[in-house]
Amino acid sequence: MKRVFVFLWLILLCLPVSAGALTFSGHLTQGGMAVGKTEPGTRVTFQGKALQVAPDGTFVIGFARDAAPTGTLSLRHPDGTTQNKTLSIERRQYPVQRIDGLPQNQVTPTSKADLARIQKDAAQAVAARKYDSPLTDFAEPFIWPVTGRISGVWGSQRILNGVPKRPHFGVDIAAPTGTPVKAPAGGIIRLAHNDMFYSGGTLILDHGHGISTVYMHLSKLRVTEGQQVSKGDIIGDVGATGRVTGPHLHWGMHWFATPIDPSLVTPAMPQPASDKK
């Protein structure tokens, strides 16, 4: 099904857009990313937020985990005509995941030093996700940054060492330490940090218009802040740094400050060579 979605996405992106026309590709669902295309020069807002529109009329919207069932999209075309559209946002159900065996100070930190470090880490991540660059790499199909066993899904309610915590805003992919991590789409590295409290070796990659992806628990970073990368470039190595129980990649995605589900913008996970028959 995801392969069909990617094929249709490519077709839609190649279609010409006439005055007043509006097309969408992607997922109008909680945690989804929808790429819109309208007449070039159109001003677009979603729920009152002004969106950047590329010269060819492309824009993007991300929907929160618990987004309301509808949202209002408003367009003002170059000729002055306006268009309002109510978007229906599909509801999702999320599983509960229990993880035990974590260091207790990483589940409920109490020391002033740890709390200050967590606050500093969070501020850096927030700053890296504020970019509204004109890049449009988000509009191309993404690839998986690494292949392996999915050990954690996006949106799940996490219970850590018996303590309910915030939802899991990423896809966890278990793979051996040192496994190369690829850029799933082109962009610019906005954050490269070797040792964050929770996420260890961490990268944030800007794909344009507020869409960014994050890579956590890396054993090695292979890029630097400000570096431009292309889809498929090696950006780091899988590791077990930060709050983990074993080596894996936590792959997350945001539309500005809104977490969205990266598994919805990729085809089916490629099967590791060792598992093929």
Side-chain angles (χ1 to χ4, degrees):
M1 180 63 71
K2 285 187 176 179
R3 290 188 180 91
V4 173
F5 155 68
V6 171
F7 178 70
L8 292 175
W9 189 349
L10 286 170
I11 291 175
L12 284 171
L13 288 176
C14 294
L15 290 176
V17 179
S18 59
L22 174 66
T23 61
F24 271 107
S25 59
H27 292 266
L28 277 77
T29 184
Q30 291 175 331
M33 180 183 84
V35 177
K37 197 160 188 179
T38 186
E39 180 186 5
T42 299
R43 295 181 181 181
V44 180
T45 63
F46 178 68
Q47 295 291 89
K49 175 183 174 63
L51 307 184
Q52 181 176 181
V53 180
D56 67 350
T58 298
F59 63 93
V60 65
I61 304 171
F63 304 104
R65 176 186 186 271
D66 300 307
T70 61
T72 301
L73 185 74
S74 299
L75 302 93
R76 184 176 182 83
H77 298 285
D79 64 2
T81 60
T82 60
Q83 181 181 6
N84 292 312
K85 181 176 178 60
T86 299
L87 303 182
S88 297
I89 303 165
E90 184 181 354
R91 185 179 179 184
R92 294 173 64 182
Q93 299 293 324
Y94 304 101
V96 174
Q97 185 179 27
R98 299 176 183 273
I99 301 176
D100 297 311
L102 294 166
Q104 194 57 39
N105 73 311
Q106 290 188 323
V107 175
T108 310
T110 57
S111 80
K112 290 183 178 180
D114 285 346
L115 293 172
R117 184 180 167 196
I118 292 167
Q119 186 176 28
K120 182 179 179 180
D121 290 349
Q124 291 181 75
V126 167
R129 293 182 178 121
K130 283 185 176 180
Y131 286 89
D132 190 10
S133 70
L135 299 172
T136 55
D137 297 273
F138 66 85
E140 300 297 329
F142 283 56
I143 61 172
W144 286 91
V146 70
T147 58
R149 178 178 60 87
I150 301 296
S151 57
V153 298
W154 190 91
S156 62
Q157 175 62 56
R158 282 273 173 101
I159 300 178
L160 307 180
N161 290 1
V163 180
K165 292 291 183 178
R166 66 197 293 267
H168 182 237
F169 288 127
V171 177
D172 287 344
I173 309 165
T177 295
T179 302
V181 176
K182 298 178 181 179
I188 298 173
I189 302 295
R190 298 300 187 187
L191 175 69
H193 196 299
N194 283 303
D195 187 23
M196 288 188 153
F197 184 83
Y198 286 125
S199 56
T202 305
L203 294 171
I204 292 181
L205 177 55
D206 170 17
H207 304 287
H209 291 218
I211 296 294
S212 65
T213 47
V214 62
Y215 310 83
M216 300 181 181
H217 312 304
L218 301 172
S219 60
K220 186 174 183 178
L221 311 184
R222 296 187 178 272
V223 290
T224 57
E225 288 183 16
Q227 182 175 339
Q228 188 152 8
V229 300
S230 299
K231 180 162 63 175
D233 287 351
I234 304 301
I235 58 175
D237 296 352
V238 171
T241 58
R243 186 173 69 183
V244 299
T245 57
H248 72 281
L249 175 70
H250 170 106
W251 181 33
M253 193 171 192
H254 284 74
W255 180 57
F256 298 106
T258 301
I260 54 179
D261 188 351
S263 71
L264 295 180
V265 301
T266 55
M269 166 75 81
Q271 189 177 15
S274 60
D275 293 344
K276 293 179 180 178
K277 297 181 179 179

